[in-house]
Amino acid sequence: EAAVTQSPRNKVTVTGGNVTLSCRQTNSHNYMYWYRQDTGHGLRLIHYSYGAGNLQIGDVPDGYKATRTTQEDFFLLLELASPSQTSLYFCASSDDWGDSQNTLYFGAGTRLSVL
Amino acid sequence: AQKVTQTQTSISVMEKTTVTMDCVYETQDSSYFLFWYKQTASGEIVFLIRQDSYKKENATVGHYSLNFQKPKSSIGLIITATQIEDSAVYFCAMREGGGGYKVVFGSGTRLLVSP
């Protein structure tokens, strides 16, 4: 069974603070994604990656950095957090092979509050 | 640029009836993949069903089926014999082919199934 683990599950920080959201997948997938979910907007793509060291810019990248350190680990960094980044963040992984090709497997989400 | 639009914000139906959720998409690619995902009340996001653009036959999985109308760039999700546990938010998503792996989502449709 595909597994994507996000940590922390909940995070509260102050405006201007630094935050790192972590995502680890044990699916041996090449692709990993970071989305934010806000009411009325659905899931919006922040950054995505194909393999360690690769990073692609999504549709709402402003204020976010990301790094894919290994095949398994993808991090989302907020270096100067702002209240507008208060959201529910999801990580997902997928790949091109197998019966579940192209299907996204999601983590449980991280709820971030920026005060 | 690829785009997915869900115009129905919420739908309410009675149990055991059939419901259709609409989704239209925009893409310049001739090859693409379309998906529907379900987000439960707990926040978990799971894959339901997919349609590959080159396939003419509508996909069916259990009591979920798709109405793929390629000339209209439309991919509707049909749930037959709805159950209380079908109450959730449903997201339409698209991934372009041609080597790209960006996946974008619509804003979601909330389904409430009443007894």
Side-chain angles (χ1 to χ4, degrees):
Chain A
E1 180 69 22
V4 180
T5 303
Q6 293 184 234
S7 61
R9 292 295 314 279
N10 293 280
K11 177 72 177 180
V12 179
T13 190
V14 295
T15 300
N18 288 345
V19 177
T20 298
L21 306 185
S22 302
C23 178
R24 166 164 284 196
Q25 54 101 356
T26 57
N27 309 319
S28 299
H29 287 166
N30 282 313
Y31 310 124
M32 294 186 74
Y33 305 79
W34 277 108
Y35 292 91
R36 60 176 290 171
Q37 182 178 17
D38 306 286
T39 303
H41 292 280
L43 294 161
R44 292 184 289 176
L45 182 62
I46 305 171
H47 291 297
Y48 56 115
S49 167
Y50 176 78
N54 178 269
L55 183 66
Q56 302 295 320
I57 297 173
D59 296 324
V60 290
D62 292 349
Y64 301 97
K65 293 184 179 179
T67 180
R68 180 90 176 268
T69 55
T70 64
Q71 177 85 348
E72 295 78 20
D73 298 303
F74 195 28
F75 299 94
L76 186 67
L77 297 81
L78 293 73
E79 294 186 332
L80 288 172
S82 73
S84 64
Q85 293 176 307
T86 293
S87 187
L88 180 58
Y89 292 86
F90 284 99
C91 176
S93 73
S94 75
D95 220 307
D96 284 332
W97 45 265
D99 294 337
S100 59
Q101 61 176 310
N102 298 314
T103 299
L104 290 181
Y105 291 88
F106 283 86
T110 295
R111 187 167 295 281
L112 174 67
S113 296
V114 183
L115 305 178
Chain B
Q2 58 192 111
K3 184 179 179 182
V4 176
T5 303
Q6 296 177 252
T7 57
Q8 300 161 303
T9 304
S10 63
I11 300 174
S12 294
V13 300
M14 300 300 292
E15 192 179 13
K16 301 178 183 177
T17 61
T18 295
V19 62
T20 298
M21 283 176 261
D22 301 328
C23 175
V24 293
Y25 57 90
E26 297 175 26
T27 179
Q28 302 299 318
D29 268 13
S30 58
S31 172
Y32 47 90
F33 308 95
L34 300 164
F35 309 85
W36 280 89
Y37 289 83
K38 173 184 179 180
Q39 185 174 34
T40 63
S42 68
E44 181 184 18
I45 302 174
V46 296
F47 164 74
L48 289 179
I49 191 169
R50 64 179 275 175
Q51 179 80 36
D52 298 347
S53 63
Y54 61 89
K55 293 184 177 179
K56 294 185 177 180
E57 187 172 318
N58 289 325
T60 298
V61 176
H63 74 144
Y64 302 107
S65 62
L66 297 178
N67 180 17
F68 181 40
Q69 299 185 60
K70 197 169 183 179
K72 295 184 178 180
S73 296
S74 172
I75 183 73
L77 173 68
I78 302 168
I79 307 177
T80 57
T82 51
Q83 303 161 9
I84 301 297
E85 51 266 34
D86 291 325
S87 296
V89 178
Y90 291 82
F91 291 102
C92 179
M94 176 175 64
R95 170 179 165 168
E96 290 179 330
Y101 54 101
K102 182 179 181 183
V103 181
V104 296
F105 283 77
S107 56
T109 297
R110 181 175 298 277
L111 175 67
L112 176 61
V113 181
S114 301

